[in-house]
Amino acid sequence: MPLPPLDEAEHLAQATHNEAVLDAIVKDVVPGYVRAFDWALVVMFYAAMHYASACLLRDTGECPDQHTSHYDRATNTRVLGLTDCVSRTYGPAVAPSYNVLFNRAWDARYRSLYMTQTHVPDALDLLTEHRKHLEIVKAAQPAPAA
Amino acid sequence: MNEETLIEMCRRVHRLPGVTGTWLAVRSDHEADVYVTVLGVDETALHDQIVVYRAMESLSQSARPEMDSAQFAFNYYVLADDDRIGDPLIPMGARQIA
């Protein structure tokens, strides 16, 4: 039986949890060396993904369960993926950092041999930027009616 | 969805620094993917990739009304092109545009 989709609060909790795991990984250093730098990159993306998912639920009420868009032949409709929804809802301020983190995580999982810990600070900056931009979007929303 | 729109998108992004190739994979009348390869894996490459993402976001935003009216599903991917890591994973059947 498929699990029920996460709600906004659960996505935020998962993002926060992932960031706590990230902190633990990044702190596991042999002076200047992040031991599991590749997995740090993976965790970073999943923190970014859950932040984006929470914000999409808050702002649009919808959050796709797949990364990419596809055409559903059974219903003759297009089904938007998460990456596309992030781009459509938050635009060029958020989409590039989200996409680079997606890419870095994919590379870390499947082609990590070329990656080094030097990729970690850049990706951390992108995660911070991603979070900051989503907060800016959040700040721009009207306050909910009492 | 006019395929020429996607080809033009590929041509434009190919002019950006670091871009080594663009490919178009038309999966059906309703779906297509674009693949962009960017040279290297270092900090310069990361900067170049971000520039490519920004350009692709801008170009796909312009094409969105056309895509939406045709219920067209579009994805794009920016891949590292570097001899040390093997060939970028571009699917069979994708057509090199530039």
Side-chain angles (χ1 to χ4, degrees):
Chain A
M1 197 171 90
L3 292 170
L6 301 187
D7 64 20
E8 180 188 337
E10 288 167 331
H11 275 297
L12 279 177
Q14 186 66 59
T16 307
H17 169 74
N18 288 351
E19 286 223 67
V21 173
L22 176 62
D23 282 345
I25 294 173
V26 170
K27 279 179 189 148
D28 178 25
V29 292
V30 178
Y33 183 86
V34 180
R35 213 185 304 259
F37 60 85
D38 45 357
W39 290 103
L41 295 164
V42 174
V43 176
M44 269 183 239
F45 168 68
Y46 284 105
M49 189 198 80
H50 284 289
Y51 280 128
S53 299
C55 289
L56 281 170
L57 282 170
R58 178 197 65 204
D59 298 333
T60 69
E62 289 180 23
C63 176
D65 59 3
Q66 294 187 21
H67 291 298
T68 55
S69 300
H70 69 279
Y71 188 78
D72 184 346
R73 283 163 189 77
T75 58
N76 285 329
T77 54
R78 176 185 59 185
V79 181
L80 292 178
L82 186 55
T83 306
D84 210 350
C85 285
V86 168
S87 165
R88 285 164 178 267
T89 308
Y90 303 115
V94 170
S97 54
Y98 181 83
N99 286 329
V100 171
L101 288 169
F102 177 95
N103 237 6
R104 286 289 196 238
W106 196 92
D107 283 347
R109 278 175 294 156
Y110 299 108
R111 305 205 291 179
S112 67
L113 286 179
Y114 85 87
M115 304 194 87
T116 69
Q117 58 184 305
T118 61
H119 289 93
V120 171
D122 288 338
L124 277 172
D125 289 346
L126 289 170
L127 178 58
T128 304
E129 188 181 306
H130 175 75
R131 217 191 301 103
K132 193 176 86 183
H133 280 308
L134 287 174
E135 281 165 6
I136 289 167
V137 171
K138 186 178 182 181
Q141 298 293 314
Chain B
M1 179 73 197
N2 187 350
E3 197 175 304
E4 199 53 45
T5 303
L6 298 173
I7 291 172
E8 181 57 23
M9 192 183 281
C10 290
R11 287 190 179 128
R12 282 185 169 206
V13 85
H14 192 262
R15 295 179 200 134
L16 295 172
V19 174
T20 55
T22 56
W23 282 260
L24 174 62
V26 178
R27 290 188 278 134
S28 74
D29 288 347
H30 294 279
E31 296 166 287
D33 298 331
V34 160
Y35 296 81
V36 183
T37 50
V38 176
L39 185 67
V41 292
D42 59 6
E43 204 158 322
T44 304
L46 175 64
H47 177 263
D48 289 345
Q49 283 185 21
I50 291 173
V51 171
V52 168
Y53 277 117
R54 288 196 180 123
M56 286 301 294
E57 285 298 313
S58 169
L59 292 166
S60 53
Q61 267 187 355
S62 308
R64 216 160 259 164
E66 189 183 347
M67 290 179 183
D68 289 353
S69 64
Q71 285 279 302
F72 195 82
F74 173 70
N75 299 291
Y76 71 89
Y77 304 87
V78 180
L79 308 173
D81 183 0
D82 190 294
D83 287 344
R84 289 168 291 177
I85 61 171
D87 292 332
L89 296 176
I90 295 164
M92 296 279 287
R95 182 157 51 109
Q96 185 161 14
I97 302 300

